[in-house]
Amino acid sequence: MNKEIVLQMKDICKSFPGVKALDGAALNAYKGRVMALMGENGAGKSTLMKIMTGIYSKDSGTVFYHGHEVTFKGTKDSQEAGIAIIHQELNLIQHMSITENIF
Ligand SMILES: Nc1ncnc2c1ncn2[C@@H]1O[C@H](COP(=O)(O)OP(=O)(O)O)[C@@H](O)[C@H]1O
Ligand SMILES: [Mg+2]
């Protein structure tokens, strides 16, 4: 079984005015494995994914990608490195099918 960590997020903190969205969050993504990040509404899943892909900047913490520390400046930056985000909302193109939207 492959245990190579491709992406690692450590001690991630992020606050918005009046709310600490992430307080020491951590995530390991392994090569060849599908992972589901699950949690109640407002748990901070989207915020963590947006930090992973450079949409939001973190207040503190570290992100390693293939063993190197990275700070993506935006989705273009993360996508060029090989990380794509497909948003659940707002960014769908209405006249395209689900498959077309994903691709
Ligand atoms: N852009 C933002 N401005 C202010 N508060 C935000 C923003 N994005 C998320 N939050 C807050 O951060 C917390 C985590 O939200 P979110 O990451 O969207 O959770 P999830 O995706 O797990 O439902 C919530 O309390 C939410 O209201
Ligand atoms: Mg969400």
Side-chain angles (χ1 to χ4, degrees):
M1 199 176 289
N2 207 325
K3 288 281 279 177
E4 183 189 331
I5 296 174
V6 174
L7 188 129
Q8 184 169 39
M9 303 182 81
K10 278 183 171 174
D11 260 325
I12 307 293
C13 296
K14 177 73 178 178
S15 290
F16 297 107
V19 57
K20 189 153 198 179
L22 295 171
D23 186 8
L27 178 148
N28 287 341
Y30 296 91
K31 184 176 179 181
R33 295 232 202 139
V34 174
M35 167 189 268
L37 177 62
M38 305 194 292
E40 63 184 292
N41 224 355
K45 306 177 296 294
S46 294
T47 302
L48 193 64
M49 293 304 98
K50 286 173 182 173
I51 288 170
M52 178 190 286
T53 51
I55 297 167
Y56 291 159
S57 55
K58 53 187 159 48
D59 296 339
S60 61
T62 323
V63 181
F64 296 97
Y65 185 51
H66 291 292
H68 301 284
E69 190 175 345
V70 291
T71 306
F72 298 123
K73 292 179 201 71
T75 49
K76 186 173 180 289
D77 211 15
S78 55
Q79 204 162 332
E80 278 169 5
I83 302 173
I85 185 163
I86 300 161
H87 292 274
Q88 70 187 88
E89 57 207 356
L90 299 178
N91 302 60
L92 297 177
I93 300 164
Q94 294 299 328
H95 68 270
M96 287 185 173
S97 69
I98 291 166
T99 309
E100 286 166 342
N101 265 286
I102 287 170
F103 280 93

